[in-house]
Amino acid sequence: MLILYRILSIVLGYFFGLFQTGYIMGRLKGIDIRQYGSGNSGTTNAMRVLGKKAGVFVYIGDCMKALICCFLIRLIFNQIEPDMVGLLVLYAGFGVVLGHNYPFYMNFKGGKGIAATSGAVIAFGDWRIIVICLAVFLLVVVVSRYMSLASLCVVTCFLINMICWGQWNHIGMSGSYVHPDNLIECYVLAAVFTASAFYMHRENIKRLLNGTERRLGDPKQEVHLESES
């Protein structure tokens, strides 16, 4: 049954991840956002192609789908397997990332999963990890203006914090801390989140190394919107 709980969490997360906020926003403007900018349906590309307001809306939508899914997991398993809730929240969160990155009805071409990952981190509920990750993200964005670099830094920070706080103390949300028997599995899942983000940003990494990556605030790509024609 414990294996089944993990599978159910991932599957539920995947279906929540299929809600593609960026793609929907683009269609409302008469375009497929994946045909512009970096070619994905995530927050940063939405901001560059559709504007800042659209980017904020896309972030909220993609973050919320992870939060809502993980909240449902807590409701379902708090009484059934309280010692596994924190772990199952991570499984559900990763399922959301998979659904966001690889939506079957869009030929498995979605976003890069950072907004969904942030929702999973918030839903995991350890305020120390949330505060540190947020601080790292904002610092890197302000200093470098590279959203991709900030995204990679924050997922790396999440992994490091999971391991450090897990070894030093309990991690998770008050009332549903991760059981010590599940710590290693949580570390592995955090590593999978991080590896997935690095894989999805592989082209960004090449551009960062070459000095050709676009910075936040650069002029957005010109897009001919059907609604304006």
Side-chain angles (χ1 to χ4, degrees):
M1 286 298 292
L2 299 184
I3 297 296
L4 180 60
Y5 294 158
R6 291 168 169 84
I7 295 172
L8 287 174
S9 297
I10 292 176
V11 171
L12 181 64
Y14 181 84
F15 280 102
F16 268 84
L18 295 177
F19 183 83
Q20 295 285 322
T21 316
Y23 180 77
I24 294 170
M25 284 290 293
R27 283 305 185 190
L28 291 175
K29 296 288 188 177
I31 66 168
D32 182 344
I33 193 176
R34 299 171 302 162
Q35 301 300 317
Y36 300 90
S38 60
N40 72 83
S41 60
T43 299
T44 303
N45 200 40
M47 185 177 297
R48 286 173 177 163
V49 176
L50 302 174
K52 292 181 180 179
K53 289 183 179 179
V56 171
F57 186 86
V58 170
Y59 170 77
I60 292 173
D62 289 341
C63 178
M64 285 301 298
K65 65 189 181 188
L67 280 171
I68 294 171
C69 178
C70 293
F71 176 73
L72 286 178
I73 289 296
R74 288 191 181 278
L75 284 181
I76 294 169
F77 291 104
N78 260 333
Q79 301 300 321
I80 302 174
E81 286 290 343
D83 289 342
M84 287 189 67
V85 169
L87 177 64
L88 294 177
V89 163
L90 289 179
Y91 272 107
F94 186 65
V96 175
V97 171
L98 288 177
H100 178 79
N101 292 354
Y102 307 105
F104 71 89
Y105 66 96
M106 293 168 56
N107 295 320
F108 300 97
K109 185 181 179 182
K112 296 182 179 179
I114 298 302
T117 297
S118 72
V121 173
I122 295 170
F124 185 67
D126 192 308
W127 66 268
R128 299 164 300 186
I129 297 177
I130 295 170
V131 170
I132 294 172
C133 286
L134 177 61
V136 167
F137 180 81
L138 293 175
L139 177 63
V140 177
V141 167
V142 170
V143 173
S144 72
R145 293 196 295 120
Y146 287 125
M147 288 292 288
S148 56
L149 180 60
S151 298
L152 295 173
C153 286
V154 80
V155 293
T156 303
C157 179
F158 173 56
L159 172 60
I160 294 171
N161 271 270
M162 285 287 290
I163 295 173
C164 290
W165 291 112
Q167 293 302 111
W168 293 338
N169 204 338
H170 295 300
I171 54 174
M173 180 179 288
S174 178
S176 57
Y177 289 110
V178 173
H179 193 277
D181 292 344
N182 297 324
L183 278 176
I184 298 300
E185 196 169 352
C186 284
Y187 301 161
V188 172
L189 278 171
V192 172
F193 272 101
T194 304
S196 173
F198 271 81
Y199 176 76
M200 297 304 296
H201 285 80
R202 59 194 183 280
E203 295 301 323
N204 302 85
I205 293 171
K206 291 178 183 178
R207 291 193 294 271
L208 284 167
L209 294 174
N210 293 332
T212 57
E213 178 75 336
R214 293 185 63 190
R215 295 177 186 269
L216 191 67
D218 287 349
K220 70 178 184 178
Q221 181 177 354
E222 289 296 326
V223 178
H224 299 290
L225 303 178
E226 291 179 8
S227 58
E228 297 177 351
S229 59

